[in-house]
């Protein structure tokens, strides 16, 4: 499931790189003081690692489920699926 549900939430800019997207303001003064030699002043966006999905699970509550006593098994499977999704930090799960 981790391969199917890819991380979607963007991470912050991190690191000290020679090229990047934004300048790390804290590294500017040492950069100037080093006569522009210590040039690792750029930040890059790291790979996303959090998931932000909304999952809706529906349970059949018809008469055929009640007659065959399948309601208990449906609830057990719902609990198992919900626990698995919570372990993966999927996001919000609704029933």
């Amino acid at each position: 499931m981790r391969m199917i549900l890819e991380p979607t939430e963007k991470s912050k800019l991190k690191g000290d790189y020679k090229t990047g997207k934004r300048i790390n303001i804290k590294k500017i003064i040492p950069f100037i003081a080093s006569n522009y030699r210590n040039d690792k002043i750029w930040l890059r966006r790291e790979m996303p690692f959090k998931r932000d999905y909304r999952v809706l699970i529906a349970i059949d509550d018809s008469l055929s489920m009640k007659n065959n006593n399948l309601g208990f098994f449906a609830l057990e499977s719902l609990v198992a699926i919900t626990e698995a999704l919570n372990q993966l930090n999927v996001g919000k799960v609704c029933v």
Side-chain angles (χ1 to χ4, degrees):
M1 284 183 77
R2 286 186 183 163
M3 293 170 54
I4 295 170
L5 299 173
E6 295 178 357
T8 57
E9 195 170 306
K10 292 183 180 178
S11 61
K12 297 179 180 179
L13 296 167
K14 295 180 183 177
D16 298 324
Y17 299 100
K18 289 189 175 190
T19 61
K21 186 168 179 117
R22 292 192 186 143
I23 292 179
N24 187 354
I25 301 299
K26 294 177 183 176
K27 298 286 182 174
I28 297 271
I29 294 174
F31 172 63
I32 295 170
S34 70
N35 285 336
Y36 306 101
R37 279 185 256 135
N38 187 9
D39 59 349
K40 293 185 178 182
I41 60 171
W42 292 94
L43 298 171
R44 290 184 188 166
R45 190 170 302 279
E46 300 290 327
M47 292 294 292
F49 61 93
K50 290 187 177 180
R51 294 167 177 84
D52 187 26
Y53 288 99
R54 291 181 179 90
V55 179
L56 177 66
I57 301 174
I59 296 179
D60 184 15
D61 193 21
S62 65
L63 187 61
S64 62
M65 290 286 284
K66 290 179 183 176
N67 288 343
N68 294 327
N69 295 326
L70 297 175
F72 177 74
F73 296 114
L75 290 176
E76 275 189 351
S77 63
L78 171 71
V79 169
I81 291 171
T82 305
E83 287 178 357
L85 291 174
N86 284 337
Q87 274 188 333
L88 291 174
N89 295 327
V90 169
K92 296 182 180 178
V93 179
C94 300
V95 179

